[in-house]
Amino acid sequence: WDALYYVAASARDIYLHPGRLVPQGPWDNGHPPLIFWALAAVWWAAGPGLLASHLLILASALGAVLLAFSLGRRLFGARAGLIGAILLVANPIFFYHAGTITVDLPLTAFTLLALVAALRRRWVLATAAGCAMVLTRESALLFLPALAGAAWLLPDRERRPSLAGPVLMIVVPSLTLAAWFAAHYEVTGWWIYTDESRKVKISLGQMLSSLPWELYRRTLRPFLKGFGQGLATVAVGGALA
């Protein structure tokens, strides 16, 4: 449903209208557009088709596996990283999404990249990955403080680095997501999608009142299907190692 109704349809809208940044039509449900842009770019380069579309998702899957290995190696050693990567590939949910054109695997790869880069104190790369996260799924913004905090705390408890990097990793993606919402509102006249069967144009006050439910609805599933997979497999790999 997601692959056909809003991911592929939104990407097709952008593909057919070069220069259009905000998808327009019944398939637009307010999600950020990075994967739609990327899919449209692949179609411009290779032509629209299933093979080209799946290559984008498979590249995300490969990146997620390599980053899970890198994360496990940094935290627990190379053996743990290898076990974590193998467990991630064997995860049925991960395997399913590797063959489905949705935002979940790109989100997984971007989130792991943000954490690995932050652990290495490469804050510019971590910030860029954070921007990619929120432009893939808006609820990813809720996890950036946790990622930045973990990266700041884990490597060396005796010598804390400057807080400038973690703050940058949170603030810049937040502003990026705010800019997207503003651009989307400018084009469509509405903020968020609050009904799965129809568009509801709501005021800012109504949006804020519905925000707790929207955050819950849009956070639990992406977390379980996204970063949770990579982190859980790395943790199991560390325990087995």
Side-chain angles (χ1 to χ4, degrees):
W1 174 260
D2 283 353
L4 289 176
Y5 184 72
Y6 91 89
V7 176
S10 296
R12 182 177 182 274
D13 184 61
I14 294 173
Y15 171 75
L16 294 176
H17 302 88
R20 177 177 288 181
L21 298 181
V22 178
Q24 298 174 39
W27 43 81
D28 176 28
N29 58 8
H31 285 311
L34 182 58
I35 300 308
F36 314 147
W37 296 344
L39 195 54
V42 169
W43 290 347
W44 287 326
L50 281 176
L51 179 59
S53 304
H54 280 290
L55 286 177
L56 175 65
I57 303 303
L58 289 174
S60 300
L62 177 60
V65 171
L66 294 176
L67 287 163
F69 169 75
S70 178
L71 178 61
R73 180 178 61 181
R74 184 167 186 85
L75 294 177
F76 303 111
R79 181 184 176 191
L82 181 59
I83 293 174
I86 292 172
L87 290 175
L88 183 59
V89 172
N91 186 310
I93 298 177
F94 183 88
F95 187 80
Y96 165 78
H97 281 286
T100 308
I101 305 169
T102 62
V103 303
D104 297 286
L105 274 188
L107 178 59
T108 300
F110 289 139
T111 308
L112 288 169
L113 175 60
L115 182 55
V116 170
L119 286 171
R120 294 179 177 178
R121 301 291 184 258
R122 298 176 62 181
W123 296 112
V124 173
L125 178 58
T127 300
C131 291
M133 287 170 58
V134 300
L135 286 177
T136 300
R137 192 81 174 208
E138 65 278 16
S139 54
L141 181 66
L142 300 179
F143 302 114
L144 283 173
L147 298 182
W152 186 73
L153 289 171
L154 282 176
D156 190 342
R157 301 191 178 203
E158 301 299 326
R159 297 166 53 190
R160 296 279 180 241
S162 168
L163 282 172
V167 170
L168 184 73
M169 185 179 172
I170 296 170
V171 171
V172 174
S174 300
L175 295 176
T176 300
L177 183 60
W180 156 251
F181 278 129
H184 185 272
Y185 182 79
E186 182 68 21
V187 172
T188 65
W190 53 275
W191 292 94
I192 58 175
Y193 189 32
T194 59
D195 191 302
E196 292 297 332
S197 61
R198 62 188 177 90
K199 295 292 184 301
V200 180
K201 293 184 179 180
I202 61 175
S203 67
L204 181 59
Q206 291 172 313
M207 183 191 75
L208 293 176
S209 67
S210 66
L211 192 58
W213 165 248
E214 286 295 315
L215 290 176
Y216 171 78
R217 183 177 70 86
R218 295 187 178 211
T219 297
L220 182 60
R221 185 175 64 179
F223 176 74
L224 291 177
K225 293 196 295 186
F227 178 60
Q229 298 178 30
L231 188 59
T233 51
V234 167
V236 171
L240 292 176

